Amino acid sequence: MRSTAAIALAVGLLVSIAGCSTPPTPTTDREFSDGALHEAYAEASVRLYVRRQARLLAVNYAIRTAGTDLCGDAVGPILGIAVWRSNPLFGRSFFEALERSYGVWAGSIAVVAVQPGSPADRAGIRVGDQISSVAGGAIHSDVDLFDRAASFEAGAIPITLLRGEQEIRIAVEPLRACHPEAFLEIGDLMLTDRARGNHFYVTSGFIRFAKTDDELALVVAHELAHRISGMRVVPGPQVEVRADRLGLYLAARAGYDISVAPAFWDRVALEQPWSLSDDVEHYGWTRVPPHGYMPSRAAAIRKIVAEIQRKIENGEPLQPGKI
């Protein structure tokens, strides 16, 4: 009731202000709200953030574990967790809601999602656990955590964590999978190719744009293909098509419906008009459209999808051949 009353009051104030001939006195956002509504917004934002983290984790985990033999040397232990990455742009209200809801505080490297059935899940890691060390070394960032785990090759990975006030030492029996990790980044649609070491971002814009997990798998697998093959060294249209090819095989291996790929990348092209031009001189600092020349990519994607579907129908192994 307090929240409803606050909204009604705000609407009433705005209507009365609109009818005034004199400029209104400046007010802060808090004056148009109350504590309950403010907290409700922050907690809803946290829940949305955590849901997106869990969705990205599930898709990335499935692709990485199903395509291990296609990842060459880019293979290592996988944990099956997503962790909080502190971002000062989120603001104090978000931090407070995160701590209230999940026990995760702003400066911690803490778990916000655990993939069911993963090594972390089997070892007993929970949402809210704060990870302080992996393989005997202190953890200072999310990238540091995953890199230390991936470099450990001597059996179960020792991890020290805090659960409330209690320090817990566990050993995670590793599962080998493709190494590059996908991190959620709050941002626009076009920023999926920003690297974090050997890893990559998927933006909240792209997660929102992907209507289903089949579509999200196309984005994750494409960027994973770039990382495991080093195909980001010299970007260009052929590099994008090669990443599409390997990425589509990775997504199909994980059981995702790749028949949605042509329509999905068509939608991406419409959102990015510059991808409809092959005038690379126009782009100056990038030299090529960020996601390649989409008309040529679209034609290639349709052929690759048909090829994979024939293999599935004939019961043939999903091997992409030379990339």
Side-chain angles (χ1 to χ4, degrees), residues 66-247:
T68 307
D69 62 307
L70 299 183
C71 290
D73 295 332
V75 172
I78 188 172
L79 296 178
I81 59 173
V83 299
W84 159 246
R85 173 173 172 253
S86 184
N87 187 332
L89 296 178
F90 288 3
R92 182 167 57 86
S93 298
F94 185 94
F95 295 150
E96 292 171 348
L98 189 69
E99 186 170 1
R100 282 196 306 272
S101 299
Y102 297 95
V104 174
W105 51 279
S108 66
I109 306 299
V111 178
V112 293
V114 179
Q115 179 63 22
S118 67
D121 184 37
R122 294 195 300 270
I125 293 179
R126 303 175 187 172
V127 171
D129 286 346
Q130 298 167 30
I131 298 178
S132 55
S133 73
V134 173
I139 299 303
H140 304 291
S141 71
D142 48 0
V143 173
D144 189 26
L145 187 162
F146 293 112
D147 282 347
R148 288 195 65 83
S151 64
F152 191 77
E153 298 180 353
I157 304 171
I159 294 179
T160 302
L161 53 87
L162 291 175
R163 184 172 295 160
E165 300 296 325
Q166 182 183 10
E167 183 178 87
I168 300 174
R169 299 176 188 273
I170 63 173
V172 178
E173 291 290 342
L175 173 67
R176 292 186 68 76
C178 301
H179 169 50
E181 192 75 34
F183 292 99
L184 172 63
E185 175 79 349
I186 305 300
D188 205 354
L189 178 64
M190 284 71 76
L191 300 178
T192 55
D193 59 355
R194 291 175 59 197
R196 302 191 68 201
N198 294 321
H199 312 291
F200 60 95
Y201 289 106
V202 176
T203 62
S204 56
F206 238 137
I207 291 178
R208 184 173 62 250
F209 185 78
K211 297 176 181 178
T212 66
D213 285 352
D214 292 315
E215 292 186 343
L216 181 57
L218 300 174
V219 179
V220 172
H222 177 88
E223 293 303 327
L224 182 65
H226 277 305
R227 297 300 173 274
I228 65 180
S229 60
M231 287 189 286
R232 268 292 172 198
V233 177
V234 183
Q238 292 307 310
V239 170
E240 293 296 329
V241 172
R242 288 167 62 202
D244 285 328
R245 180 174 181 79
L246 179 54

